[in-house]
Amino acid sequence: MKKIKFTLFSIRDLLLAFGPMILALVIIAGAAYYLVDPAPKRVIELSAGPENSSYQRFAKQYASELAKNKVTLHINPSQGSQENLQKISDPDSDIQVGFVRSGSTDAQIAEEKGLVSLGSLFYEPIWIFYRSKKEFDTISQFKGKRINLGAEGNGMHRMFSQILSVNGMQDADVQIQRLDDAEATKTFLNGKLDALVFSSASDSPLVQQLLQTPDVRLFDFVQAEAYTRRFPFLSSVVLPRGIVDIGRDIPARDYHLIAPTATLVAHESLHPALMGLLLQAARKIHSKADWFSDQGEFPSDKYTEIPVAAEAEKFYKNGPPMLQRYMSFWMANFFDRMWVVLITAGALLLPLSKVIPPLYVWRIRSRIYRWYGQLRIAEQFIDEAGENSPVHTLQKQMQHLDEIEEKVNNTSLPLSYMEELYHLRSHIHFVRDRLVERLRAVETAQQV
């Protein structure tokens, strides 16, 4: 026995009515997703520094923070600041971001190469450790000394040359060597170097070691304030007495140092959303107090000669994007990029919402209306049939009406439209009754 399924609405007709609109919106949204504002990549290439350097250690912390948002940070080793700057500037390089010491370039060159700063991260003081029976209080006292500036690419040569120049000296006035830090330290402790010059954060193991090594002196920049006036990218910081070891009173007095800042530099092509994600990681990593900075002093949009990215300025002013405070990075980024499309879709839905319901009603009723055309043809046939019409043609028309009724009885409609179905069935019976009368009239006429 055949069962008829009763429904309040037709899913099939509903899909056919709404389907084209939904498909169009999906196509528009998909095109916008990939073309209007491309999604950020899930991989960032970062140039850090030598193994065991502060840059490397911080890079690993960034990688850990970004991984929480399913973004992979590839850490590329380098010799330091200057090499990082070159890699980010190189159009053929995959490097998009790196640690760069302030003072490594100037605003005009940075702008020409498409470099932007995401902010300063921490003070990176210039440490000058030397051996001497008496304490030096001016840079000119290093004249003729064997001084190591670290490996090529770390950017220290440029900065030290500037320091020499304001002291009336040139590179030729000292014996510059370019050994890496580990080898240079060993050579220095063996008496084959007179001084080590490098720039590093206070957590550097090398700094910790040298500050506690007997007979090794730390140069005190007593003219630190004067240096900061000559070089705006430098800051004057103080190494407090006893900061290394309070019990042993190391160091035994305050030392004045000049300090550039480590800056997170990116190429302007880096996706703004990834810039924002890096800034959020920077705030978690660098906001703590250390030997030279207060709680919350870093990251900062100060102390950098490279133009600050618009995304970074927005971050320092307003904090993380509002959506990212309540949902995941990728979901927030999706809505942030697609809001124009969503508003447009909403504007389209309003007029379409008035068109779709009538279209749905028309599709349902079209199942009934199409049979009225067949009934009208049958009625015309009846009106035109005379007494001499062949009986078999009228019987064939009766058979056709039976077929129509059978198909109508098998038509599935929502309950709200059943009234119209019953009207159709009654009209079929009406046409059949007329056809029966005409058939009888024709048979009677032909018998006479």
Side-chain angles (χ1 to χ4, degrees), residues 248-309:
R248 296 163 57 194
D249 196 24
I250 300 176
R253 63 180 177 85
D254 290 349
Y255 280 85
H256 300 85
L257 301 175
I258 55 174
T261 55
T263 307
L264 192 59
V265 175
H267 193 272
E268 61 185 4
S269 61
L270 183 65
H271 198 287
L274 294 179
M275 290 184 184
L277 198 59
L278 286 166
L279 284 163
Q280 292 180 54
R283 176 166 288 181
K284 287 185 178 181
I285 295 168
H286 302 291
S287 61
K288 303 179 184 68
D290 62 17
W291 286 4
F292 302 106
S293 61
D294 297 326
Q295 179 83 18
E297 184 176 351
F298 290 105
S300 169
D301 55 356
K302 302 176 182 178
Y303 317 117
T304 174
E305 72 277 8
I306 299 175
V308 178

Side-chain angles (χ1 to χ4, degrees), residues 82 101-106 158-159 162 233 260-261 303 305:
Q82 198 63 40
R101 190 179 301 116
S102 62
S104 298
T105 184
D106 58 57
R158 172 190 170 98
M159 191 163 296
Q162 291 173 306
F233 58 85
T261 55
Y303 317 117
E305 72 277 8

